[in-house]
Amino acid sequence: MNIEDLFVKKISTDENFNYKILYNDSRGAVYKDEYKSLIRQAIEKRVITIDTFIVAENVQEELYTISEIKGFEYNLINCLKNYHNESDSKVASFIYLLKKLDPAFTLNDREGKLQIISDLFEAELCPRIDGKNAEPRIFLPKEKVAITSTNDDVENLGDILAVKDVKVYALGTDDRSNVIYAYKVNRDDSFFDVAEGYKENLKSDLFNNIRK
């Protein structure tokens, strides 16, 4: 399955693409400035390139209806949230995408962990795909596709981008929640060594400061 086949169309990406579209710049993070610098420089040097897609148009009412669901299905909204008081509307586009993958998918609560049940696709909800900190909202393990949110903090985005052999899409909407966008973040092979070394240096500095 190629997830891009579900999108309405690919559109041109502005030459002066604002990398802050990929995450929520108002969200706090310990190494916020450092991760922003890594991503900004990678884009400037074309180590990272962006493909922009329109996933769906004129979906304001549908996203509103999704955000208003109640009962057991509301557990899916809570499961997809990155933090407790994140707005329901921020995760509605992810449920829309799941419904595009399989309108008949169902949910199962196994030992307190919500699971997607579908004959058409396999998906994991908010897994740590590096075993540490990289936590996309949706991960398609067969296709190795990580779907994160433009409402995530920059550290989570940076950690996800540092995972090799995974395609990364940042999902978001316009201000009126009428259009869903997907930003595919392509990384050159050289990015991974730089990113991993960058992260290790940050951790090392932290431990050095603790020892002092």
Side-chain angles (χ1 to χ4, degrees):
M1 177 189 67
N2 182 354
I3 194 169
E4 292 174 15
D5 291 340
L6 300 175
F7 302 162
V8 171
K9 59 185 175 182
K10 181 179 181 181
I11 60 176
S12 61
T13 302
D14 196 311
E15 288 186 7
N16 298 314
F17 178 79
N18 180 4
Y19 69 97
K20 294 180 181 179
I21 290 174
L22 300 173
Y23 62 90
N24 185 342
D25 199 35
S26 66
R27 296 278 306 278
V30 176
Y31 296 116
K32 180 176 180 177
D33 292 338
E34 290 83 354
Y35 272 74
K36 286 172 63 174
S37 177
L38 171 66
I39 294 171
R40 175 180 55 77
Q41 290 185 56
I43 290 176
E44 288 177 353
K45 296 177 180 179
R46 305 285 298 172
V47 175
I48 281 178
T49 58
I50 308 295
D51 293 328
T52 305
F53 297 88
I54 291 180
V55 177
E57 299 174 293
N58 302 314
V59 291
Q60 186 180 47
E61 288 189 14
E62 189 167 353
L63 293 184
Y64 176 77
T65 299
I66 290 173
S67 67
E68 290 294 302
I69 61 175
K70 305 296 181 183
F72 182 68
E73 287 189 344
Y74 187 73
N75 291 331
L76 181 56
I77 288 181
N78 281 330
C79 183
L80 287 167
K81 288 185 178 183
N82 187 249
Y83 52 98
H84 178 69
N85 61 343
E86 185 174 22
S87 171
D88 294 351
S89 64
K90 294 293 184 183
V91 301
S93 56
F94 291 92
I95 298 176
Y96 178 93
L97 184 60
L98 290 171
K99 288 179 179 290
K100 288 275 286 186
L101 289 165
D102 181 2
F105 83 85
T106 58
L107 301 172
N108 182 41
D109 189 341
R110 181 172 297 175
E111 298 179 354
K113 185 176 182 180
L114 201 64
Q115 296 179 330
I116 298 289
I117 307 299
S118 170
D119 294 328
L120 301 182
F121 71 97
E122 181 181 342
E124 298 174 12
L125 303 175
C126 301
R128 296 187 183 275
I129 58 174
D130 63 349
K132 301 174 185 176
N133 303 311
E135 187 178 334
R137 306 297 178 102
I138 296 171
F139 183 62
L140 307 178
K142 290 183 179 179
E143 296 79 10
K144 292 187 176 181
V145 169
I147 306 171
T148 186
S149 171
T150 56
N151 195 47
D152 282 359
D153 65 66
V154 68
E155 275 191 31
N156 190 43
L157 174 63
D159 287 336
I160 293 169
L161 294 179
V163 180
K164 288 184 178 180
D165 301 320
V166 169
K167 296 178 182 178
V168 178
Y169 297 82
L171 203 68
T173 65
D174 63 354
D175 291 339
R176 297 190 301 123
S177 295
N178 198 44
V179 180
I180 302 174
Y181 293 96
Y183 302 96
K184 184 180 182 182
V185 188
N186 308 294
R187 294 94 74 213
D188 185 88
D189 288 344
S190 62
F191 173 81
F192 299 103
D193 290 336
V194 172
E196 192 56 38
Y198 195 82
K199 289 166 61 181
E200 289 302 319
N201 286 336
L202 290 177
K203 293 174 185 176
S204 176
D205 288 344
L206 175 61
F207 290 127
N208 288 338
N209 289 335
I210 291 174
R211 290 191 186 101
K212 291 177 183 179

Short mmCIF file of all heavy atoms in Angstrom, two decimals, residues 77-140:
data_model
loop_
_atom_site.label_atom_id
_atom_site.label_comp_id
_atom_site.label_asym_id
_atom_site.label_seq_id
_atom_site.Cartn_x
_atom_site.Cartn_y
_atom_site.Cartn_z
N ILE A 77 -9.66 9.01 20.28
CA ILE A 77 -9.22 10.40 20.35
C ILE A 77 -8.21 10.57 21.48
O ILE A 77 -7.13 11.15 21.28
CB ILE A 77 -10.41 11.36 20.53
CG1 ILE A 77 -11.22 11.45 19.23
CG2 ILE A 77 -9.94 12.76 20.96
CD1 ILE A 77 -12.41 12.38 19.30
N ASN A 78 -8.55 10.07 22.65
CA ASN A 78 -7.63 10.19 23.79
C ASN A 78 -6.31 9.48 23.54
O ASN A 78 -5.24 9.95 23.93
CB ASN A 78 -8.29 9.65 25.06
CG ASN A 78 -9.27 10.63 25.66
OD1 ASN A 78 -9.12 11.84 25.54
ND2 ASN A 78 -10.31 10.11 26.31
N CYS A 79 -6.39 8.33 22.89
CA CYS A 79 -5.18 7.54 22.61
C CYS A 79 -4.24 8.28 21.67
O CYS A 79 -3.02 8.18 21.81
CB CYS A 79 -5.58 6.19 22.02
SG CYS A 79 -4.20 5.09 21.69
N LEU A 80 -4.80 9.03 20.74
CA LEU A 80 -3.99 9.72 19.73
C LEU A 80 -3.44 11.06 20.23
O LEU A 80 -2.59 11.66 19.55
CB LEU A 80 -4.81 9.95 18.47
CG LEU A 80 -5.08 8.71 17.61
CD1 LEU A 80 -6.15 9.00 16.57
CD2 LEU A 80 -3.80 8.23 16.94
N LYS A 81 -3.89 11.50 21.38
CA LYS A 81 -3.41 12.78 21.90
C LYS A 81 -1.97 12.68 22.40
O LYS A 81 -1.57 11.66 22.96
CB LYS A 81 -4.31 13.27 23.04
CG LYS A 81 -5.68 13.75 22.59
CD LYS A 81 -6.46 14.32 23.77
CE LYS A 81 -7.82 14.84 23.32
NZ LYS A 81 -8.57 15.46 24.44
N ASN A 82 -1.23 13.76 22.20
CA ASN A 82 0.15 13.81 22.67
C ASN A 82 0.24 14.26 24.12
O ASN A 82 1.20 13.95 24.82
CB ASN A 82 0.97 14.76 21.77
CG ASN A 82 2.44 14.73 22.07
OD1 ASN A 82 2.98 15.71 22.58
ND2 ASN A 82 3.11 13.63 21.78
N TYR A 83 -0.77 14.99 24.56
CA TYR A 83 -0.85 15.42 25.96
C TYR A 83 -2.32 15.54 26.34
O TYR A 83 -3.19 15.68 25.47
CB TYR A 83 -0.11 16.73 26.20
CG TYR A 83 -0.49 17.86 25.27
CD1 TYR A 83 -1.40 18.83 25.67
CD2 TYR A 83 0.08 17.98 24.00
CE1 TYR A 83 -1.76 19.88 24.83
CE2 TYR A 83 -0.26 19.02 23.16
CZ TYR A 83 -1.18 19.95 23.58
OH TYR A 83 -1.53 20.98 22.72
N HIS A 84 -2.60 15.46 27.63
CA HIS A 84 -3.97 15.27 28.12
C HIS A 84 -4.94 16.33 27.62
O HIS A 84 -6.07 16.01 27.21
CB HIS A 84 -3.98 15.24 29.64
CG HIS A 84 -5.35 15.09 30.24
ND1 HIS A 84 -6.08 13.91 30.12
CD2 HIS A 84 -6.14 15.97 30.91
CE1 HIS A 84 -7.25 14.08 30.70
NE2 HIS A 84 -7.33 15.30 31.20
N ASN A 85 -4.54 17.60 27.65
CA ASN A 85 -5.49 18.66 27.31
C ASN A 85 -5.34 19.13 25.86
O ASN A 85 -5.80 20.22 25.50
CB ASN A 85 -5.36 19.85 28.27
CG ASN A 85 -3.98 20.49 28.23
OD1 ASN A 85 -3.03 19.89 27.73
ND2 ASN A 85 -3.87 21.71 28.75
N GLU A 86 -4.73 18.32 25.02
CA GLU A 86 -4.69 18.65 23.59
C GLU A 86 -6.11 18.64 23.05
O GLU A 86 -6.92 17.77 23.38
CB GLU A 86 -3.82 17.64 22.84
CG GLU A 86 -3.64 17.99 21.36
CD GLU A 86 -2.66 17.07 20.65
OE1 GLU A 86 -2.44 15.93 21.14
OE2 GLU A 86 -2.11 17.47 19.61
N SER A 87 -6.42 19.60 22.21
CA SER A 87 -7.77 19.73 21.67
C SER A 87 -8.15 18.50 20.84
O SER A 87 -7.33 17.97 20.08
CB SER A 87 -7.86 20.99 20.79
OG SER A 87 -9.08 21.03 20.09
N ASP A 88 -9.40 18.06 21.00
CA ASP A 88 -9.89 16.92 20.22
C ASP A 88 -9.74 17.19 18.72
O ASP A 88 -9.48 16.27 17.94
CB ASP A 88 -11.37 16.65 20.54
CG ASP A 88 -11.58 16.19 21.98
OD1 ASP A 88 -10.59 15.91 22.66
OD2 ASP A 88 -12.76 16.11 22.40
N SER A 89 -9.93 18.43 18.33
CA SER A 89 -9.87 18.78 16.90
C SER A 89 -8.48 18.55 16.32
O SER A 89 -8.34 18.36 15.11
CB SER A 89 -10.29 20.23 16.70
OG SER A 89 -9.39 21.12 17.34
N LYS A 90 -7.46 18.56 17.17
CA LYS A 90 -6.09 18.38 16.69
C LYS A 90 -5.82 16.95 16.22
O LYS A 90 -4.88 16.71 15.47
CB LYS A 90 -5.08 18.76 17.78
CG LYS A 90 -5.07 20.23 18.16
CD LYS A 90 -4.58 21.10 17.02
CE LYS A 90 -4.47 22.57 17.44
NZ LYS A 90 -4.05 23.43 16.30
N VAL A 91 -6.62 16.01 16.70
CA VAL A 91 -6.38 14.61 16.33
C VAL A 91 -7.45 14.07 15.37
O VAL A 91 -7.34 12.94 14.90
CB VAL A 91 -6.29 13.70 17.58
CG1 VAL A 91 -5.17 14.16 18.48
CG2 VAL A 91 -7.60 13.67 18.34
N ALA A 92 -8.46 14.88 15.07
CA ALA A 92 -9.55 14.42 14.19
C ALA A 92 -9.03 14.03 12.81
O ALA A 92 -9.53 13.08 12.20
CB ALA A 92 -10.62 15.50 14.07
N SER A 93 -8.01 14.73 12.31
CA SER A 93 -7.49 14.43 10.98
C SER A 93 -6.85 13.04 10.92
O SER A 93 -6.84 12.40 9.86
CB SER A 93 -6.47 15.50 10.54
OG SER A 93 -5.43 15.62 11.48
N PHE A 94 -6.34 12.55 12.05
CA PHE A 94 -5.74 11.22 12.08
C PHE A 94 -6.82 10.14 11.98
O PHE A 94 -6.63 9.12 11.31
CB PHE A 94 -4.90 11.04 13.35
CG PHE A 94 -3.67 11.88 13.36
CD1 PHE A 94 -3.68 13.14 13.92
CD2 PHE A 94 -2.50 11.41 12.78
CE1 PHE A 94 -2.54 13.93 13.91
CE2 PHE A 94 -1.36 12.19 12.77
CZ PHE A 94 -1.38 13.45 13.33
N ILE A 95 -7.95 10.38 12.63
CA ILE A 95 -9.06 9.44 12.54
C ILE A 95 -9.64 9.47 11.13
O ILE A 95 -10.01 8.43 10.57
CB ILE A 95 -10.12 9.76 13.59
CG1 ILE A 95 -9.52 9.62 15.00
CG2 ILE A 95 -11.34 8.85 13.43
CD1 ILE A 95 -10.45 10.01 16.13
N TYR A 96 -9.70 10.66 10.53
CA TYR A 96 -10.14 10.77 9.14
C TYR A 96 -9.25 9.90 8.24
O TYR A 96 -9.76 9.17 7.37
CB TYR A 96 -10.08 12.23 8.68
CG TYR A 96 -10.47 12.44 7.24
CD1 TYR A 96 -11.79 12.75 6.89
CD2 TYR A 96 -9.53 12.32 6.22
CE1 TYR A 96 -12.15 12.93 5.57
CE2 TYR A 96 -9.89 12.50 4.89
CZ TYR A 96 -11.19 12.80 4.57
OH TYR A 96 -11.56 12.97 3.25
N LEU A 97 -7.94 9.97 8.45
CA LEU A 97 -7.02 9.19 7.63
C LEU A 97 -7.20 7.69 7.86
O LEU A 97 -7.18 6.90 6.90
CB LEU A 97 -5.57 9.59 7.96
CG LEU A 97 -4.48 8.92 7.11
CD1 LEU A 97 -4.67 9.26 5.63
CD2 LEU A 97 -3.10 9.37 7.57
N LEU A 98 -7.40 7.28 9.11
CA LEU A 98 -7.66 5.87 9.39
C LEU A 98 -8.92 5.39 8.67
O LEU A 98 -8.96 4.26 8.15
CB LEU A 98 -7.80 5.65 10.90
CG LEU A 98 -6.52 5.80 11.73
CD1 LEU A 98 -6.85 5.77 13.22
CD2 LEU A 98 -5.52 4.71 11.39
N LYS A 99 -9.93 6.24 8.63
CA LYS A 99 -11.17 5.88 7.93
C LYS A 99 -10.96 5.81 6.42
O LYS A 99 -11.64 5.03 5.73
CB LYS A 99 -12.28 6.89 8.27
CG LYS A 99 -12.81 6.78 9.70
CD LYS A 99 -13.88 7.82 9.97
CE LYS A 99 -14.44 7.70 11.38
NZ LYS A 99 -15.27 6.48 11.53
N LYS A 100 -10.03 6.60 5.90
CA LYS A 100 -9.69 6.51 4.48
C LYS A 100 -9.00 5.18 4.19
O LYS A 100 -9.20 4.58 3.12
CB LYS A 100 -8.78 7.66 4.08
CG LYS A 100 -9.45 9.02 4.03
CD LYS A 100 -10.14 9.26 2.69
CE LYS A 100 -9.13 9.55 1.60
NZ LYS A 100 -9.81 9.92 0.33
N LEU A 101 -8.17 4.73 5.13
CA LEU A 101 -7.48 3.46 4.96
C LEU A 101 -8.45 2.29 5.00
O LEU A 101 -8.32 1.33 4.23
CB LEU A 101 -6.43 3.29 6.05
CG LEU A 101 -5.19 4.18 5.95
CD1 LEU A 101 -4.41 4.19 7.26
CD2 LEU A 101 -4.29 3.69 4.80
N ASP A 102 -9.44 2.38 5.89
CA ASP A 102 -10.46 1.33 5.99
C ASP A 102 -11.67 1.90 6.72
O ASP A 102 -11.65 2.03 7.95
CB ASP A 102 -9.91 0.12 6.75
CG ASP A 102 -10.94 -1.01 6.86
OD1 ASP A 102 -12.06 -0.86 6.32
OD2 ASP A 102 -10.63 -2.02 7.50
N PRO A 103 -12.73 2.23 5.99
CA PRO A 103 -13.93 2.80 6.63
C PRO A 103 -14.56 1.86 7.66
O PRO A 103 -15.31 2.30 8.53
CB PRO A 103 -14.89 3.02 5.45
CG PRO A 103 -14.01 3.08 4.24
CD PRO A 103 -12.86 2.16 4.53
N ALA A 104 -14.23 0.56 7.56
CA ALA A 104 -14.86 -0.42 8.44
C ALA A 104 -13.95 -0.87 9.59
O ALA A 104 -14.25 -1.85 10.25
CB ALA A 104 -15.29 -1.64 7.63
N PHE A 105 -12.85 -0.14 9.82
CA PHE A 105 -11.96 -0.57 10.91
C PHE A 105 -12.69 -0.48 12.25
O PHE A 105 -13.59 0.32 12.45
CB PHE A 105 -10.67 0.27 10.93
CG PHE A 105 -10.78 1.60 11.64
CD1 PHE A 105 -10.61 1.68 13.01
CD2 PHE A 105 -11.02 2.77 10.93
CE1 PHE A 105 -10.69 2.90 13.67
CE2 PHE A 105 -11.10 3.99 11.58
CZ PHE A 105 -10.94 4.05 12.96
N THR A 106 -12.29 -1.35 13.17
CA THR A 106 -12.87 -1.36 14.50
C THR A 106 -11.77 -1.23 15.55
O THR A 106 -10.57 -1.23 15.21
CB THR A 106 -13.68 -2.65 14.77
OG1 THR A 106 -12.81 -3.78 14.60
CG2 THR A 106 -14.85 -2.75 13.81
N LEU A 107 -12.18 -1.12 16.79
CA LEU A 107 -11.23 -0.94 17.90
C LEU A 107 -11.33 -2.10 18.87
O LEU A 107 -12.40 -2.66 19.07
CB LEU A 107 -11.51 0.38 18.63
CG LEU A 107 -11.44 1.66 17.81
CD1 LEU A 107 -11.94 2.84 18.64
CD2 LEU A 107 -10.01 1.92 17.35
N ASN A 108 -10.20 -2.41 19.46
CA ASN A 108 -10.17 -3.44 20.48
C ASN A 108 -9.29 -2.96 21.63
O ASN A 108 -8.21 -2.43 21.41
CB ASN A 108 -9.60 -4.74 19.91
CG ASN A 108 -9.58 -5.86 20.93
OD1 ASN A 108 -10.52 -6.03 21.70
ND2 ASN A 108 -8.49 -6.62 20.96
N ASP A 109 -9.79 -3.13 22.84
CA ASP A 109 -9.02 -2.75 24.03
C ASP A 109 -8.45 -4.02 24.64
O ASP A 109 -9.16 -4.81 25.24
CB ASP A 109 -9.93 -2.04 25.04
CG ASP A 109 -9.13 -1.42 26.19
OD1 ASP A 109 -7.98 -1.83 26.39
OD2 ASP A 109 -9.66 -0.54 26.87
N ARG A 110 -7.15 -4.21 24.43
CA ARG A 110 -6.49 -5.41 24.94
C ARG A 110 -5.54 -5.05 26.07
O ARG A 110 -4.53 -4.40 25.86
CB ARG A 110 -5.73 -6.11 23.81
CG ARG A 110 -5.02 -7.41 24.23
CD ARG A 110 -4.46 -8.12 23.02
NE ARG A 110 -5.53 -8.52 22.10
CZ ARG A 110 -5.29 -9.08 20.90
NH1 ARG A 110 -4.06 -9.27 20.49
NH2 ARG A 110 -6.30 -9.42 20.12
N GLU A 111 -5.92 -5.44 27.27
CA GLU A 111 -5.12 -5.18 28.46
C GLU A 111 -4.82 -3.69 28.61
O GLU A 111 -3.70 -3.29 28.93
CB GLU A 111 -3.82 -6.00 28.43
CG GLU A 111 -4.06 -7.50 28.43
CD GLU A 111 -2.76 -8.30 28.38
OE1 GLU A 111 -1.68 -7.68 28.22
OE2 GLU A 111 -2.84 -9.53 28.51
N GLY A 112 -5.85 -2.88 28.35
CA GLY A 112 -5.72 -1.44 28.53
C GLY A 112 -5.03 -0.72 27.39
O GLY A 112 -4.79 0.49 27.46
N LYS A 113 -4.72 -1.45 26.31
CA LYS A 113 -4.05 -0.84 25.15
C LYS A 113 -4.98 -0.90 23.95
O LYS A 113 -5.41 -1.99 23.54
CB LYS A 113 -2.74 -1.57 24.84
CG LYS A 113 -1.94 -0.93 23.73
CD LYS A 113 -0.61 -1.63 23.54
CE LYS A 113 0.22 -0.95 22.46
NZ LYS A 113 1.54 -1.62 22.26
N LEU A 114 -5.28 0.27 23.39
CA LEU A 114 -6.21 0.35 22.26
C LEU A 114 -5.53 -0.12 20.98
O LEU A 114 -4.40 0.26 20.69
CB LEU A 114 -6.71 1.78 22.10
CG LEU A 114 -8.03 1.97 21.34
CD1 LEU A 114 -9.18 1.31 22.10
CD2 LEU A 114 -8.32 3.45 21.15
N GLN A 115 -6.24 -0.95 20.22
CA GLN A 115 -5.69 -1.49 18.98
C GLN A 115 -6.67 -1.29 17.83
O GLN A 115 -7.88 -1.33 18.02
CB GLN A 115 -5.39 -2.99 19.13
CG GLN A 115 -4.32 -3.31 20.15
CD GLN A 115 -4.08 -4.80 20.26
OE1 GLN A 115 -5.00 -5.60 20.07
NE2 GLN A 115 -2.86 -5.19 20.60
N ILE A 116 -6.09 -1.06 16.64
CA ILE A 116 -6.88 -0.96 15.42
C ILE A 116 -7.06 -2.37 14.85
O ILE A 116 -6.09 -3.11 14.69
CB ILE A 116 -6.18 -0.07 14.38
CG1 ILE A 116 -6.02 1.36 14.91
CG2 ILE A 116 -6.94 -0.08 13.05
CD1 ILE A 116 -7.30 2.14 14.99
N ILE A 117 -8.30 -2.72 14.52
CA ILE A 117 -8.59 -4.01 13.89
C ILE A 117 -9.07 -3.75 12.46
O ILE A 117 -10.07 -3.07 12.25
CB ILE A 117 -9.67 -4.80 14.67
CG1 ILE A 117 -9.28 -4.92 16.15
CG2 ILE A 117 -9.88 -6.16 14.03
CD1 ILE A 117 -7.99 -5.66 16.41
N SER A 118 -8.32 -4.27 11.49
CA SER A 118 -8.67 -4.05 10.09
C SER A 118 -8.12 -5.19 9.23
O SER A 118 -7.05 -5.72 9.51
CB SER A 118 -8.09 -2.71 9.59
OG SER A 118 -8.22 -2.59 8.19
N ASP A 119 -8.87 -5.54 8.19
CA ASP A 119 -8.39 -6.52 7.22
C ASP A 119 -7.57 -5.87 6.12
O ASP A 119 -6.96 -6.58 5.30
CB ASP A 119 -9.59 -7.26 6.58
CG ASP A 119 -10.35 -8.12 7.57
OD1 ASP A 119 -9.71 -8.64 8.51
OD2 ASP A 119 -11.58 -8.26 7.40
N LEU A 120 -7.54 -4.53 6.08
CA LEU A 120 -6.89 -3.82 4.98
C LEU A 120 -5.53 -3.23 5.35
O LEU A 120 -4.69 -3.02 4.47
CB LEU A 120 -7.80 -2.70 4.48
CG LEU A 120 -9.18 -3.14 3.97
CD1 LEU A 120 -9.96 -1.93 3.47
CD2 LEU A 120 -9.04 -4.17 2.87
N PHE A 121 -5.31 -2.95 6.62
CA PHE A 121 -4.03 -2.35 7.00
C PHE A 121 -3.72 -2.69 8.45
O PHE A 121 -4.59 -3.06 9.23
CB PHE A 121 -4.04 -0.84 6.80
CG PHE A 121 -4.89 -0.08 7.79
CD1 PHE A 121 -4.33 0.50 8.92
CD2 PHE A 121 -6.26 0.05 7.60
CE1 PHE A 121 -5.12 1.20 9.83
CE2 PHE A 121 -7.06 0.75 8.50
CZ PHE A 121 -6.48 1.32 9.63
N GLU A 122 -2.45 -2.53 8.80
CA GLU A 122 -2.00 -2.72 10.17
C GLU A 122 -1.46 -1.38 10.67
O GLU A 122 -0.68 -0.72 9.97
CB GLU A 122 -0.90 -3.78 10.23
CG GLU A 122 -0.37 -4.07 11.62
CD GLU A 122 0.73 -5.11 11.63
OE1 GLU A 122 0.86 -5.84 10.62
OE2 GLU A 122 1.47 -5.18 12.63
N ALA A 123 -1.88 -0.98 11.86
CA ALA A 123 -1.44 0.31 12.40
C ALA A 123 -1.19 0.21 13.89
O ALA A 123 -1.90 -0.51 14.60
CB ALA A 123 -2.49 1.39 12.13
N GLU A 124 -0.17 0.91 14.34
CA GLU A 124 0.13 1.03 15.76
C GLU A 124 -0.14 2.47 16.17
O GLU A 124 0.16 3.41 15.44
CB GLU A 124 1.58 0.66 16.03
CG GLU A 124 1.93 -0.78 15.66
CD GLU A 124 3.41 -1.07 15.81
OE1 GLU A 124 4.14 -0.25 16.42
OE2 GLU A 124 3.85 -2.13 15.31
N LEU A 125 -0.72 2.63 17.35
CA LEU A 125 -1.08 3.96 17.84
C LEU A 125 -0.04 4.46 18.84
O LEU A 125 0.18 3.84 19.88
CB LEU A 125 -2.47 3.92 18.50
CG LEU A 125 -3.61 3.40 17.61
CD1 LEU A 125 -4.90 3.30 18.41
CD2 LEU A 125 -3.80 4.30 16.39
N CYS A 126 0.60 5.55 18.49
CA CYS A 126 1.57 6.23 19.35
C CYS A 126 2.64 5.29 19.92
O CYS A 126 2.92 5.32 21.13
CB CYS A 126 0.84 6.96 20.48
SG CYS A 126 -0.34 8.19 19.91
N PRO A 127 3.28 4.48 19.06
CA PRO A 127 4.36 3.63 19.56
C PRO A 127 5.67 4.41 19.63
O PRO A 127 5.81 5.47 18.99
CB PRO A 127 4.46 2.55 18.49
CG PRO A 127 4.14 3.30 17.22
CD PRO A 127 3.06 4.30 17.62
N ARG A 128 6.62 3.93 20.39
CA ARG A 128 7.96 4.52 20.41
C ARG A 128 8.80 3.71 19.41
O ARG A 128 9.32 2.65 19.74
CB ARG A 128 8.55 4.48 21.82
CG ARG A 128 7.75 5.33 22.80
CD ARG A 128 8.43 5.43 24.16
NE ARG A 128 7.62 6.18 25.09
CZ ARG A 128 7.62 7.51 25.21
NH1 ARG A 128 8.40 8.24 24.43
NH2 ARG A 128 6.85 8.11 26.10
N ILE A 129 8.93 4.22 18.21
CA ILE A 129 9.50 3.44 17.12
C ILE A 129 11.02 3.30 17.20
O ILE A 129 11.59 2.49 16.46
CB ILE A 129 9.09 4.01 15.74
CG1 ILE A 129 9.54 5.47 15.58
CG2 ILE A 129 7.58 3.88 15.54
CD1 ILE A 129 9.28 6.03 14.19
N ASP A 130 11.65 4.06 18.07
CA ASP A 130 13.09 3.89 18.29
C ASP A 130 13.36 3.21 19.63
O ASP A 130 14.49 3.06 20.04
CB ASP A 130 13.83 5.22 18.23
CG ASP A 130 13.39 6.20 19.32
OD1 ASP A 130 12.35 5.93 19.99
OD2 ASP A 130 14.06 7.23 19.50
N GLY A 131 12.27 2.82 20.31
CA GLY A 131 12.41 2.21 21.62
C GLY A 131 12.71 3.22 22.71
O GLY A 131 12.90 2.86 23.87
N LYS A 132 12.72 4.52 22.35
CA LYS A 132 13.07 5.56 23.33
C LYS A 132 12.04 6.68 23.32
O LYS A 132 11.08 6.66 24.07
CB LYS A 132 14.47 6.11 23.02
CG LYS A 132 15.58 5.06 23.04
CD LYS A 132 16.90 5.66 22.58
CE LYS A 132 17.99 4.61 22.47
NZ LYS A 132 19.24 5.18 21.93
N ASN A 133 12.25 7.66 22.43
CA ASN A 133 11.46 8.89 22.48
C ASN A 133 10.64 9.20 21.23
O ASN A 133 9.76 10.05 21.28
CB ASN A 133 12.38 10.08 22.76
CG ASN A 133 13.17 9.91 24.04
OD1 ASN A 133 12.62 9.59 25.07
ND2 ASN A 133 14.48 10.13 23.97
N ALA A 134 10.97 8.56 20.10
CA ALA A 134 10.31 8.89 18.84
C ALA A 134 8.91 8.30 18.81
O ALA A 134 8.73 7.09 18.69
CB ALA A 134 11.13 8.37 17.66
N GLU A 135 7.89 9.17 18.92
CA GLU A 135 6.51 8.69 19.10
C GLU A 135 5.57 9.34 18.09
O GLU A 135 4.94 10.36 18.38
CB GLU A 135 6.04 8.98 20.52
CG GLU A 135 4.69 8.37 20.87
CD GLU A 135 4.29 8.64 22.31
OE1 GLU A 135 5.17 8.82 23.17
OE2 GLU A 135 3.08 8.66 22.58
N PRO A 136 5.43 8.75 16.89
CA PRO A 136 4.44 9.26 15.94
C PRO A 136 3.03 8.95 16.43
O PRO A 136 2.83 8.06 17.26
CB PRO A 136 4.77 8.50 14.65
CG PRO A 136 5.38 7.23 15.13
CD PRO A 136 6.15 7.58 16.37
N ARG A 137 2.04 9.66 15.90
CA ARG A 137 0.66 9.38 16.30
C ARG A 137 0.20 8.04 15.72
O ARG A 137 -0.52 7.29 16.38
CB ARG A 137 -0.28 10.49 15.83
CG ARG A 137 0.12 11.92 16.25
CD ARG A 137 0.11 12.10 17.75
NE ARG A 137 0.53 13.45 18.10
CZ ARG A 137 -0.32 14.42 18.46
NH1 ARG A 137 -1.60 14.17 18.55
NH2 ARG A 137 0.14 15.62 18.76
N ILE A 138 0.61 7.77 14.47
CA ILE A 138 0.26 6.51 13.80
C ILE A 138 1.52 5.95 13.15
O ILE A 138 2.31 6.69 12.54
CB ILE A 138 -0.83 6.72 12.73
CG1 ILE A 138 -2.15 7.19 13.36
CG2 ILE A 138 -1.07 5.44 11.92
CD1 ILE A 138 -3.20 7.61 12.34
N PHE A 139 1.70 4.64 13.26
CA PHE A 139 2.81 3.98 12.57
C PHE A 139 2.27 2.79 11.82
O PHE A 139 1.55 1.96 12.37
CB PHE A 139 3.87 3.53 13.58
CG PHE A 139 5.09 2.90 12.94
CD1 PHE A 139 5.88 3.63 12.08
CD2 PHE A 139 5.43 1.57 13.19
CE1 PHE A 139 7.00 3.08 11.47
CE2 PHE A 139 6.54 1.00 12.60
CZ PHE A 139 7.33 1.75 11.75
N LEU A 140 2.60 2.72 10.52
CA LEU A 140 2.21 1.59 9.68
C LEU A 140 3.44 0.70 9.53
O LEU A 140 4.33 1.00 8.74
CB LEU A 140 1.72 2.08 8.32
CG LEU A 140 0.62 3.15 8.34
CD1 LEU A 140 0.26 3.58 6.92
CD2 LEU A 140 -0.63 2.63 9.06
#
